[in-house]
Amino acid sequence: MPPSDDDSGRKSDKPVEAELSERMDRLVRALEEKNPKPEEPGPDASSSGAHGYVQAMKLSTEFVAGILVGAAIGWVIDSGFGTGPWGLIVFLLLGFLAGVLNVLRSAGLVAEPFDKSRDG
């Protein structure tokens, strides 16, 4: 139905607006069918933030512990054998690598050694 002329000589936009509104409603319904609304967050929603914080603290603690243990072993070797800073440097680097490996294992990106369930 073409738009009608009103008293001022302009064409009325009412039918066009109704058609656009109807098309928009159809589009909204189609989008809702394809992308349903996510479920409302329950009481566990706040615990997911706490879980992330706990996981971050665990990973950072394992990383720092690897470095500190490596530095301590290197310092003990240097003081016992008088090898200068070389034991500290070598074991500090080994501690760094051990810390990175522990973080990757905790995150599940590297398999545990001797894990029979992953061998298939």
Side-chain angles (χ1 to χ4, degrees), residues 88-112:
L88 180 64
I89 292 171
V90 168
F91 279 93
L92 187 64
L93 289 174
L94 288 175
F96 176 80
L97 293 175
V100 169
L101 185 61
N102 284 338
V103 167
L104 291 175
R105 282 184 185 153
S106 292
L109 300 175
V110 174
E112 295 285 333

Side-chain angles (χ1 to χ4, degrees), residues 25-102:
D25 290 341
R26 281 186 284 158
L27 178 62
V28 167
R29 282 193 302 271
L31 287 174
E32 286 176 352
E33 288 175 7
K34 290 187 184 265
N35 299 323
K37 289 183 180 179
E39 294 182 19
E40 293 294 323
D44 294 336
S46 62
S47 67
S48 66
H51 178 69
Y53 180 74
V54 168
Q55 185 71 12
M57 290 300 294
K58 176 184 173 188
L59 295 177
S60 62
T61 302
E62 289 187 11
F63 180 67
V64 170
I67 294 173
L68 291 177
V69 168
I73 291 172
W75 182 77
V76 167
I77 288 175
D78 280 343
S79 64
F81 294 111
T83 56
W86 295 109
L88 180 64
I89 292 171
V90 168
F91 279 93
L92 187 64
L93 289 174
L94 288 175
F96 176 80
L97 293 175
V100 169
L101 185 61
N102 284 338

